[in-house]
Amino acid sequence: QVQLVESGGGLAQTGGSLRLSCAASGRTFSRYVMGWFRQAPGKEREFVAAISWSGGMTFYADSVKGRFTMSRDNAKNTVYLQMNSLKPADTAVYYCAARSGTNIRNSRYETYDYWGQGTQVTVSS
């Protein structure tokens, strides 16, 4: 089992950057695929990015590819989402999630077992 806490959200201007962090607890953290999702008001959760156990493979939604970078530091039990070239469409609550398995390309939120509380990202135009 793993517990997740996000941080790093806030306000940014169009073209700006933010870095989100997700701190995890639990002795099996490094064995989980980690993902980032986001949800805007009135809309369903959408997949943003995922990373493998070792951090050697990443997978991104087309909407953020080339702008966002996901990484993990298993020694610190933390995953990150570096967000560059932000757009107003990126405004949402961002959630960190974890699941067992190895397929990082399964982007359905229903497949993730554990979730953080979310952190708000707002991008002004």
Side-chain angles (χ1 to χ4, degrees):
Q1 191 172 12
V2 62
Q3 297 78 46
L4 307 172
V5 180
E6 304 96 333
S7 63
L11 300 174
Q13 295 181 344
T14 297
S17 298
L18 288 171
R19 189 181 75 159
L20 306 183
S21 298
C22 174
S25 61
R27 62 183 183 273
T28 61
F29 168 75
S30 64
R31 306 294 300 276
Y32 284 84
V33 171
M34 302 296 298
W36 285 98
F37 292 76
R38 65 188 183 186
Q39 187 168 21
K43 298 183 178 180
E44 296 184 354
R45 265 176 291 179
E46 65 172 336
F47 171 79
V48 175
I51 193 166
S52 61
W53 293 352
S54 66
M57 293 185 294
T58 52
F59 178 60
Y60 300 95
D62 289 341
S63 59
V64 306
K65 194 173 300 181
R67 300 187 298 120
F68 292 8
T69 302
M70 189 174 183
S71 61
R72 71 190 297 166
D73 186 340
N74 289 339
K76 296 182 178 180
N77 293 329
T78 303
V79 297
Y80 306 94
L81 185 68
Q82 179 67 47
M83 305 186 295
N84 298 325
S85 302
L86 284 165
K87 306 173 181 179
D90 297 319
T91 296
V93 176
Y94 283 71
Y95 296 92
C96 180
R99 64 168 174 85
S100 60
T102 59
N103 183 10
I104 65 171
R105 293 181 178 271
N106 188 345
S107 60
R108 295 175 57 195
Y109 70 85
E110 294 90 348
T111 67
Y112 283 78
D113 302 307
Y114 304 102
W115 295 86
Q117 295 297 309
T119 185
Q120 177 71 48
V121 171
T122 302
V123 183
S124 62
S125 60

